[in-house]
Amino acid sequence: MGLSPPAPLLLGLLLLQGVVRPLWGDLVFIPSVIRMSGPAVSASLVGGTEDVTVSLALLQDAEGLLPVPSCGVLSNETGDWSLTVTPRVDSLEVTVRLKRDLQWCASNETDSFSESPCIVQTLLVSASHNSSCLAHLLIQVEIYANSSLAHNASENVTVIPNQVYQPLGPCPCNLTAGACDVRCCCDQECSSTLTELFREACFTGVFGGDVNPAFDRLCSAPPAPGVPDWSPLLCVQSPLANSPFLGYFHRGSASSRQRTSVDVYLHTDVKDVSDFGYKQGDPIMTVDKAYFTIPQVSLAGQCLHSAPVAFLQNFDVRCATHLEVYQERDDIVNVKIKNGAIGGIVTPKVIYEEATDLDKFITSTGIISQRFTVKFLSYNSGNEKESSGNPGYQLSKPIRALNTNRMNNVTTLHLWQSAGRGLCTSATFKPILFGENALSGCLLEVGLHENCTQLRENAVELLGSLIQATHVATRGNSDYRDLGDGWLEIIRADTPDTGADPSVSSMNGFCPDIPAQLSIRILISDAGAVEGITQQEILGVETRFSSVSWQFQCGLTCEEKPDLAPLSASVQFIKIPAQLPRPLTRFQINFTEYDCNRNEVCWPQLLYPVTQYYQGEPCSQCVAKGLLLVSFFILAVFLSDPWTRMCKAWS
């Protein structure tokens, strides 16, 4: 009959004697009982720790009985164990550590996954004052042999294979270096005995080591479920080493060059298209066959110091750069730009604006803030309003608008550009740009006892300030002085009513039907092309208000400070096709197996290499190769056995 474990017996003995409970000065170990499975454990001794001595004792059981703990003999070194006491604030950190290396534990075990523990001992940490026990910490040690200690990891340098010919990670489930990972049958560090324990539960797929699966088009691969019956006739006869999963990822080479700045260099392959004339969006070229670059901000908010300037695309950006990597460009004043198809050289007009208050532009951490503005102007524009296209609208150009209700009728449509706290009173305006969907908003301060009628009027006034126009131009060069030259009246739907409040709004802090959102929808369409460039025009503009019920937001109590009501405005460009798409025939609707967009096999593209959609090779080469294949086919027919028989019969 086996003996009982020593830890429960000692714990019961300590409970009967009252030594585990907090004693003199509420001195106690936290936790008071620890089950140890590693080489070190720690606990905290809290309470009156002044003049307290901490000792370690190894308890030996005899016939299942543990001795009564005694604090008369104090020791910090007990066989294979050491005790370390570190003072903390109002506490002591006690650490018990195994002095021996656990390699001997693994070397003594023939089976790394032995069911019996390697070390089984019972330790007692005591806190005493003048040989009087104040608190005890019971540690039950059970340490098993670790498989990671059974095999020494190789100290050789890891050799990275060439992933063009073999996978970079042949065994993804091998997560522990020098150890056997359970259920990872491709782990070379697992012995055959260990692998047999989980042979039936190995990881499958790529994680389990199948990193180079057979291509489903190989003749040696088993057919996938649901494939057509004729699929084996079109299989590919190829060795397994010729896999589509290899050779197309990366070369594996690394560059040791360290860049100190955060510059992102784009357009490494310079392509000069200026000889055929600039189109909107083309990079501007210099006479040195290089891009004309100005610092710009990327979509991620990063400052790009070598970003090309695009033709007819204005921008106004702010860049933040550290002074250590900042370099002033002196050559931008003398840069010479190619004029395009007309020929000649153009020198840009560069204007520097010096700042007097440097604290607004240079922070204490050495970050300098700069503003860069690029604007394209018409040469013969004079004092006239700049056009937004000729004749159609250009992308990112302002919408041309008129307000016939005032003398100075030239205007445009706007959105908010919030600043500071985002209040509507401090927000500025930015024009709506053609072809760019946008969303903006601001915050309106509202009091607890706000009059709902006045609140509606304020909201309508703020939203209406964005569209102080009655007509918009159909084209980008419509004449402001001639209302009949392609001007469309703005359609205003669902104009909000700012009349008397309903009966439900008699309570303070609640107002229904508050105009909170303005939606601007602009219909556009292609209206032909000029010199191969598509011209777009506006077909109609509609504005619509959306109302919400506003309620004052209170915390635990409703204070008299104003609340913030959000207002928003959005613009959406909807493109109307110039011609309606051809409707699908009944055959196309019912027989979807001939639809190339829904099926992997496309019979209409059987002769795809000789059609105009194939761009891999010149058309002449495709036709020549096709005729060569046809000649081979005819030659094979003539040399076939049936044709030979027919020739013999005729002769």
Side-chain angles (χ1 to χ4, degrees):
M1 185 173 180
L3 298 177
S4 301
L9 290 177
L10 181 58
L11 181 60
L13 180 60
L14 295 176
L15 289 175
L16 290 176
Q17 295 186 357
V19 296
V20 178
R21 61 179 175 85
L23 299 176
W24 183 357
D26 292 333
L27 198 64
V28 65
F29 282 100
I30 299 177
S32 60
V33 179
I34 297 179
R35 184 180 180 91
M36 184 177 180
S37 59
V41 293
S42 298
S44 298
L45 179 62
V46 297
T49 58
E50 295 82 3
D51 299 331
V52 174
T53 304
V54 182
S55 61
L56 174 65
L58 177 62
L59 300 182
Q60 301 290 343
D61 59 330
E63 298 181 355
L65 298 178
L66 292 174
V68 177
S70 175
C71 298
V73 180
L74 304 179
S75 175
N76 292 345
E77 300 289 337
T78 305
D80 298 332
W81 304 94
S82 64
L83 177 66
T84 304
V85 180
T86 305
R88 302 293 183 187
V89 180
D90 298 333
S91 65
L92 296 177
E93 182 179 356
V94 180
T95 302
V96 177
R97 192 181 309 274
L98 179 64
K99 295 188 296 183
R100 298 183 60 179
D101 192 357
L102 288 179
Q103 292 288 346
W104 69 272
C105 185
S107 61
N108 293 336
E109 295 289 340
T110 57
D111 189 358
S112 299
F113 289 91
S114 176
E115 297 181 358
S116 60
C118 178
I119 303 176
V120 180
Q121 292 180 357
T122 304
L123 304 176
L124 183 65
V125 181
S126 302
S128 61
H129 177 71
N130 295 330
S131 300
S132 177
C133 294
L134 301 180
H136 294 276
L137 169 62
L138 180 64
I139 302 177
Q140 175 62 45
V141 182
E142 290 187 6
I143 300 179
Y144 289 80
N146 192 348
S147 63
S148 62
L149 304 174
H151 309 280
N152 292 326
S154 176
E155 297 180 357
N156 297 331
V157 179
T158 303
V159 178
I160 300 178
N162 189 350
Q163 52 268 42
V164 175
Y165 306 104
Q166 55 181 318
L168 181 60
C171 188
C173 60
N174 185 10
L175 304 178
T176 307
C180 175
D181 292 274
V182 180
R183 297 185 59 190
C184 186
C185 294
C186 61
D187 192 349
Q188 299 297 326
E189 295 161 339
C190 295
S191 62
S192 58
T193 306
L194 294 179
T195 308
E196 290 298 329
L197 298 176
F198 47 82
R199 175 68 69 182
E200 301 298 330
C202 295
F203 291 113
T204 59
V206 176
F207 185 72
D210 189 11
V211 294
N212 192 13
F215 189 42
D216 55 355
R217 295 298 183 187
L218 290 179
C219 298
S220 58
V227 298
D229 297 336
W230 44 264
S231 182
L233 300 177
L234 301 178
C235 65
V236 179
Q237 189 69 33
S238 176
L240 294 177
N242 185 16
S243 172
F245 301 100
L246 297 176
Y248 292 99
F249 298 107
H250 49 82
R251 295 292 181 182
S253 60
S255 176
S256 59
R257 179 182 177 184
Q258 300 292 333
R259 288 182 177 176
T260 57
S261 62
V262 294
D263 294 354
V264 177
Y265 299 94
L266 303 177
H267 303 282
T268 56
D269 186 12
V270 178
K271 296 181 179 180
D272 187 3
V273 295
S274 60
D275 295 335
F276 303 97
Y278 288 110
K279 294 186 295 184
Q280 186 181 14
D282 291 343
I284 296 180
M285 303 298 300
T286 64
V287 294
D288 298 330
K289 298 294 183 179
Y291 290 140
F292 176 56
T293 60
I294 294 292
Q296 301 178 41
V297 178
S298 65
L299 295 178
Q302 192 177 23
C303 186
L304 308 179
H305 294 278
S306 301
V309 177
F311 183 66
L312 292 181
Q313 289 188 357
N314 303 335
F315 62 84
D316 186 357
V317 299
R318 296 180 182 271
C319 273
T321 310
H322 202 280
L323 289 176
E324 294 182 357
V325 297
Y326 171 73
Q327 294 181 355
E328 183 67 29
R329 291 185 55 183
D330 298 331
D331 59 338
I332 191 172
V333 180
N334 302 321
V335 68
K336 299 184 182 300
I337 298 176
K338 297 179 63 175
N339 194 8
I342 302 177
I345 299 175
V346 177
T347 302
K349 183 179 181 181
V350 181
I351 301 176
Y352 285 96
E353 296 182 4
E354 297 183 358
T356 56
D357 189 3
L358 297 181
D359 294 337
K360 296 182 179 179
F361 300 93
I362 301 179
T363 63
S364 58
T365 57
I367 302 298
I368 180 174
S369 177
Q370 293 178 297
R371 179 180 178 182
F372 300 92
T373 302
V374 172
K375 187 175 182 180
F376 290 85
L377 301 176
S378 299
Y379 180 72
N380 296 323
S381 60
N383 296 327
E384 299 179 359
K385 187 70 176 178
E386 182 184 358
S387 64
S388 296
N390 185 23
Y393 273 100
Q394 294 177 355
L395 295 177
S396 303
K397 287 290 186 178
I399 301 295
R400 297 164 66 88
L402 279 178
N403 189 352
T404 58
N405 298 328
R406 64 185 186 184
M407 295 296 296
N408 186 13
N409 57 358
V410 177
T411 182
T412 185
L413 306 181
H414 296 93
L415 290 176
W416 283 305
Q417 188 170 6
S418 301
R421 296 174 54 196
L423 299 179
C424 297
T425 55
S426 61
T428 57
F429 293 132
K430 61 179 180 180
I432 294 178
L433 304 181
F434 182 82
E436 295 184 3
N437 298 335
L439 176 66
S440 67
C442 63
L443 300 175
L444 176 62
E445 291 185 328
V446 185
L448 176 61
H449 305 286
E450 187 79 21
N451 183 273
C452 294
T453 302
Q454 185 64 34
L455 178 57
R456 294 191 190 94
E457 293 178 356
N458 294 340
V460 171
E461 181 181 359
L462 289 172
L463 294 173
S465 63
L466 303 177
I467 49 173
Q468 293 183 355
T470 58
H471 295 75
V472 295
T474 303
R475 303 182 305 273
N477 63 347
S478 297
D479 190 0
Y480 284 108
R481 296 164 295 185
D482 185 4
L483 197 60
D485 186 19
W487 291 92
L488 300 173
E489 186 175 358
I490 298 177
I491 302 174
R492 303 177 185 269
D494 297 339
T495 303
D497 184 13
T498 60
D501 296 338
S503 58
V504 296
S505 63
S506 58
M507 58 184 299
N508 290 332
F510 179 79
C511 292
D513 300 331
I514 302 299
Q517 183 177 4
L518 172 64
S519 300
I520 305 175
R521 295 192 297 178
I522 303 177
L523 303 181
I524 61 176
S525 177
D526 294 339
V530 176
E531 296 182 357
I533 302 176
T534 303
Q535 304 295 315
Q536 293 182 320
E537 64 179 14
I538 295 178
L539 302 181
V541 178
E542 179 195 62
T543 63
R544 186 181 299 271
F545 290 88
S546 300
S547 301
V548 297
S549 295
W550 171 82
Q551 184 175 3
F552 192 89
Q553 300 296 325
C554 297
L556 297 178
T557 59
C558 286
E559 302 178 359
E560 291 297 332
K561 63 179 182 180
D563 192 16
L564 298 178
L567 302 180
S568 63
S570 63
V571 58
Q572 180 185 11
F573 288 85
I574 304 175
K575 189 171 184 179
I576 307 299
Q579 295 181 354
L580 294 177
R582 297 179 58 183
L584 297 178
T585 62
R586 185 180 301 176
F587 178 81
Q588 293 174 334
I589 296 175
N590 296 333
F591 298 93
T592 58
E593 61 268 19
Y594 295 97
D595 190 353
C596 297
N597 296 327
R598 302 184 186 181
N599 297 279
E600 184 178 0
V601 180
C602 181
W603 289 108
Q605 296 182 0
L606 181 62
L607 301 178
Y608 175 73
V610 296
T611 60
Q612 59 180 349
Y613 303 104
Y614 180 67
Q615 303 294 333
E617 295 176 341
C619 183
S620 58
Q621 295 185 12
C622 296
V623 174
K625 293 178 180 179
L627 294 177
L628 183 61
L629 292 177
V630 171
S631 62
F632 286 160
F633 177 76
I634 296 176
L635 180 61
V637 171
F638 286 158
L639 297 179
S640 61
D641 185 64
W643 182 261
T644 305
R645 294 180 183 178
M646 294 176 60
C647 292
K648 292 181 179 180
W650 289 345
S651 60

